[in-house]
Amino acid sequence: MGLEERAALVTGASRGIGRAAALALARAGAKVAVNYSTNEEAARRVVDEIAQGGGEAFAVQGDVSRSEDSARMVSEVLGRYGRLDILVNNAGIARDNLLLRLSEDSWDAVLDTNLKGVYNCLRAAARPMLKQRFGRVVNVASVAGLMASPGQANYSAAKAGVIALTRTLARELGSRNITVNAVAPGFIDTDMTRELSAEAREAYLKRIALERFGRPEEVAEVIVFLASPAAGYITGQTVVVDGGLSI
Ligand code: NAP
């Protein structure tokens, strides 16, 4: 995929889709900063796996909902690799509930991590990317940001915000050769979806054209593509990776 000499930061890379994206970017030749929030051991395992495959990576702690953490993470990448070419805004959480039971805390936690976190990291990363006149940003949204998702008012609002932010920043940053795209996964088999009840999983399965859940690696391949030279003329887009869930 031609990502040699590129430096990447993947948020929420200790597990799930972020982990798969970090591994796939490293396989494509990029050096990768593996961000985690609390799960240091899992992040170290990802770094080890990348090193075992002959790649280069380091783990960086930081809570994306905190602007100072996001700025520090970007500084650490610049300190280590001297540049930041690829930013994958993947860190995310879900706190599902129907509106009347949806607490203000759950609303704030999801908006702060899933939407403000993207703003925080992009704001920190934009400066070095503008200077380099090169950047590839991939935001991990969700089909919940494109279609109704009962029980996920906070999550779907945040993800719709990410899709809008993607389009707007693609326009703002395009003149400096920075592309900003999003992926919108459907139901991917990770810790996040393993928390759902058997009934909820079954109900999703019935709606998926390919009749199976997605694998984190299937989202990661699209992230790598959007960061690669092959996608150099694509910006402001949201690529749906959902096995036909939303059609
Ligand atoms: P996951 O398995 O639950 O992993 C979440 C990752 O995010 C972990 O690495 C976690 O770090 C990190 N994280 C959480 N809060 C953070 C914060 N404040 N700062 C930095 N890192 C934080 O989730 P996933 O299913 O892979 O989801 C990844 C992304 O895909 C999310 O944005 C999610 O909304 C989106 N998505 C997932 C699905 C799906 O079906 N799974 C579908 C659509 C979209 P720790 O390990 O340190 O806790």
Side-chain angles (χ1 to χ4, degrees):
M1 277 291 191
L3 297 185
E4 293 78 13
E5 305 307 318
R6 297 290 181 207
L9 168 61
V10 183
T11 68
S14 51
R15 296 182 280 125
I17 294 168
R19 170 182 175 278
L23 293 169
L25 286 165
R27 269 197 305 275
K31 302 168 191 162
V32 186
V34 175
N35 162 248
Y36 65 97
S37 171
T38 55
N39 206 332
E40 183 177 358
E41 205 187 308
R44 295 219 176 280
R45 279 199 297 270
V46 177
V47 169
D48 289 347
E49 212 174 320
I50 289 173
Q52 278 158 20
E56 200 177 329
F58 74 101
V60 57
Q61 194 281 329
D63 176 347
V64 296
S65 71
R66 297 165 58 95
S67 56
E68 59 274 29
D69 282 22
S70 303
R72 177 180 45 76
M73 282 165 9
V74 168
S75 295
E76 285 190 36
V77 180
L78 294 174
R80 212 121 350 177
Y81 297 138
R83 52 190 298 122
L84 174 56
D85 302 291
I86 300 163
L87 170 65
V88 181
N89 282 308
N90 163 80
I93 56 170
R95 300 272 185 280
D96 297 353
N97 228 326
L98 294 168
L99 180 63
L100 296 185
R101 284 191 232 127
L102 185 60
S103 69
E104 196 175 337
D105 280 354
S106 297
W107 176 270
D108 287 345
V110 168
L111 269 289
D112 284 353
T113 302
N114 297 12
L115 182 55
K116 191 178 172 202
V118 176
Y119 154 79
N120 283 338
C121 292
L122 256 160
R123 196 151 175 261
R127 205 176 294 278
M129 287 182 175
L130 286 165
K131 267 198 205 149
Q132 289 165 191
R133 292 182 180 267
F134 181 89
R136 296 288 176 261
V137 178
V138 185
N139 298 322
V140 181
S142 167
V143 288
L146 295 166
M147 57 194 277
S149 190
Q152 293 198 301
N154 51 355
Y155 187 85
S156 60
K159 294 300 188 181
V162 169
I163 291 166
L165 187 70
T166 299
R167 278 196 290 264
T168 293
L169 292 180
R171 276 247 184 243
E172 277 192 27
L173 302 172
S175 65
R176 302 293 178 93
N177 193 24
I178 299 170
T179 65
V180 187
N181 289 292
V183 291
F187 192 116
I188 308 301
D189 198 13
T190 67
D191 290 347
M192 185 179 277
T193 44
R194 273 172 220 135
E195 282 173 8
L196 294 172
S197 66
E199 296 77 47
R201 289 171 68 91
E202 196 53 41
Y204 270 111
L205 199 52
K206 285 199 177 114
R207 292 164 54 197
I208 300 172
L210 293 180
E211 297 184 347
R212 64 174 179 83
F213 299 135
R215 290 180 287 107
E217 292 73 18
E218 292 174 307
V219 182
E221 290 304 327
V222 180
I223 293 172
V224 171
F225 167 68
L226 290 171
S228 76
Y233 200 55
I234 300 176
T235 196
Q237 302 302 309
T238 297
V239 181
V240 175
V241 187
D242 72 348
L245 170 65
S246 62
I247 55 177

